[in-house]
Amino acid sequence: MKQKIFLLFAMFVGFAMQTMATAATPDSVFVVKNGRIVSAYEVGTDVDNISFPKRIQLDGNCVKVGNDVYEMKSAVVTTINNYKYIYLSTLEGCKTPEDVMKGGKNLQLAFSPTLLDKYVEFNAFGHDFDADKDFFQAVFMDVDEYNRNDDYEPVSVSSYDWNDYYSDGLLQVSFAGGKLALNLEATPKKGETLLAAQYNGAYTEVTANENHFIVDGKRYEMRAAFAEKKADGVNFYLTPGNIGSANELDNCYYYVRLFVPQSNMDGSELDVQGNKKYELTFVDNVTDVNNPQTFSISNDAPSSATGTISVLDNGDGTYTIKINVANLGNSAARTLDVVYVNGTPKEYSLAVPSNYTVADGKPVDLKSAVLTHDDAEGVYTIYLSAKAGVTTLAGMADADIVVTMPDAFANDNSLHGFSGDETNAKISIKYAGDTYSQATVNGTKSIALGGNAKLSFADGKADVDFTVFSIKKYSGALKGHYEGNVTRL
């Protein structure tokens, strides 16, 4: 009903009699009966239980944040993982999201396509719109301020929590005739920041990546691929997960393992119900996080699956892989559409890299290890360094990581935490001048929430894992692994 009222409102104003228009306030709605205006109401009041929200006045293509107004000179549109993304920027000539993030100020809007061409009132979520499927989020960012100020917080509004900060709002987005039409209004509660945007003009659309991973009709970007060479073919592992190593596959929402013999890697389509050899396994870790689901088919056991698979070995280390399969699973309800074009898969290996990270930052490779034993204290200490070829304690004076482990826990291939008895109290992890242990993670002056470690060694090799949780100084964890040669002193 409200949508119809607003459409009529625009028409009624055009036919307003001069005398009535003069008597009414500038922000009014006129009620017409038999071609005549019979009454006028101020916007923001209720008329027969129908609310006419007061609109935020904007002029031209712009974004208003608080009392500040910024002209938007570029618009970029793209689709990522089933959501539409719109970027408005104060910079001219932006053609990609990367251009938008080079500087200036911008508005980033993400929303489900179901909201296109709709008049979306914030208060309508939960009844006119499905809060579980329909979604929007708008973020205004000053890129220059963000880059120079670690405490900068963008202004944002989303369908999930808008009513925590805003009293109401509306969103309209449409595409027609090569133009983008956008209207956003978020009316703030007391003490919050107004956010509004208006745009009607040309835009640049960024074509979605040809590589994709579509599950049951929901599209994701293809982000990682691994190849495990076998005697008679290759196991390919494909996933939309943003991972760097194969041992992280089980942390991804989905992944596929596809085996095809070398003889069938000529790019021709292989019918999953045919005789040509293949094996396809689809792993779903997200539908039920407590019970991952696995669906496997092969030429010997295709079940009710239909569709095709093709693999092209380009001969230069790159492959083109296409999977289009339906009717997967016991209920024959799952579908897969996976495309990986002219890509170079990483080597499939479950080896954990020897490195460490702080607060999920850039990994630092560990290249040397020295091990000592203190008979009196009954502890082993291993020094780990990012420098190669270090074999002395003097050389380890600036070791990146120092892990101490009591005799009772060494070589048992188990992680042991700081918490526990006096034996656990001997475990420590030293990094950047701070020692993390049972003594330093308890009490009001604790410097972290906890930690654990594992130390094994034999035949000149060492295997070490270490983690310190929620280090206050870094607002994150220290975690790492080392596996390789060790010099025992």
Side-chain angles (χ1 to χ4, degrees), residues 276-353:
K276 289 188 175 182
K277 187 175 181 179
Y278 76 91
E279 296 173 9
L280 175 67
T281 299
F282 167 53
V283 179
D284 176 352
N285 290 315
V286 68
T287 300
D288 184 346
V289 295
N290 295 315
N291 298 287
Q293 301 173 16
T294 300
F295 308 91
S296 297
I297 60 174
S298 67
N299 58 294
D300 294 327
S303 189
S304 57
T306 59
T308 60
I309 293 168
S310 68
V311 178
L312 175 62
D313 183 349
N314 294 309
D316 59 357
T318 66
Y319 298 85
T320 293
I321 303 170
K322 297 182 180 180
I323 302 170
N324 194 330
V325 178
N327 303 325
L328 277 172
N330 295 331
S331 61
R334 308 304 298 269
T335 63
L336 276 178
D337 180 359
V338 179
V339 173
Y340 180 68
V341 178
N342 295 329
T344 305
K346 294 182 179 179
E347 180 185 358
Y348 177 86
S349 173
L350 297 181
V352 179

Side-chain angles (χ1 to χ4, degrees), residues 233-462:
V234 178
N235 277 330
F236 295 99
Y237 296 81
L238 309 169
T239 181
N242 189 17
I243 60 175
S245 63
N247 52 27
E248 298 177 275
L249 281 167
D250 285 331
N251 295 329
C252 300
Y253 281 6
Y254 308 106
Y255 71 87
V256 161
R257 182 188 71 85
L258 172 66
F259 173 79
V260 175
Q262 191 66 45
S263 58
N264 289 339
M265 294 189 200
D266 57 2
S268 61
E269 288 191 345
L270 181 158
D271 190 324
V272 296
Q273 289 286 343
N275 295 322
K276 289 188 175 182
K277 187 175 181 179
Y278 76 91
E279 296 173 9
L280 175 67
T281 299
F282 167 53
V283 179
D284 176 352
N285 290 315
V286 68
T287 300
D288 184 346
V289 295
N290 295 315
N291 298 287
Q293 301 173 16
T294 300
F295 308 91
S296 297
I297 60 174
S298 67
N299 58 294
D300 294 327
S303 189
S304 57
T306 59
T308 60
I309 293 168
S310 68
V311 178
L312 175 62
D313 183 349
N314 294 309
D316 59 357
T318 66
Y319 298 85
T320 293
I321 303 170
K322 297 182 180 180
I323 302 170
N324 194 330
V325 178
N327 303 325
L328 277 172
N330 295 331
S331 61
R334 308 304 298 269
T335 63
L336 276 178
D337 180 359
V338 179
V339 173
Y340 180 68
V341 178
N342 295 329
T344 305
K346 294 182 179 179
E347 180 185 358
Y348 177 86
S349 173
L350 297 181
V352 179
S354 293
N355 62 34
Y356 70 91
T357 60
V358 179
D360 292 323
K362 185 178 180 181
V364 178
D365 291 336
L366 294 170
K367 300 175 182 178
S368 299
V370 170
L371 179 68
T372 64
H373 185 257
D374 186 325
D375 294 330
E377 293 294 328
V379 296
Y380 288 93
T381 301
I382 189 164
Y383 302 80
L384 305 173
S385 175
K387 296 186 295 186
V390 181
T391 59
T392 64
L393 279 180
M396 285 292 182
D398 59 352
D400 291 61
I401 306 290
V402 180
V403 177
T404 300
M405 184 68 69
D407 293 354
F409 295 156
N411 279 326
D412 67 357
N413 292 315
S414 296
L415 283 169
H416 295 276
F418 295 162
S419 299
D421 57 22
E422 63 275 8
T423 305
N424 297 82
K426 294 182 179 182
I427 302 170
S428 69
I429 301 168
K430 185 177 179 180
Y431 169 73
D434 292 314
T435 299
Y436 302 92
S437 66
Q438 187 181 109
T440 59
V441 300
N442 293 322
T444 57
K445 295 184 179 181
S446 64
I447 59 177
L449 288 185
N452 57 45
K454 180 187 80 172
L455 170 62
S456 298
F457 53 88
D459 302 324
K461 303 286 185 180

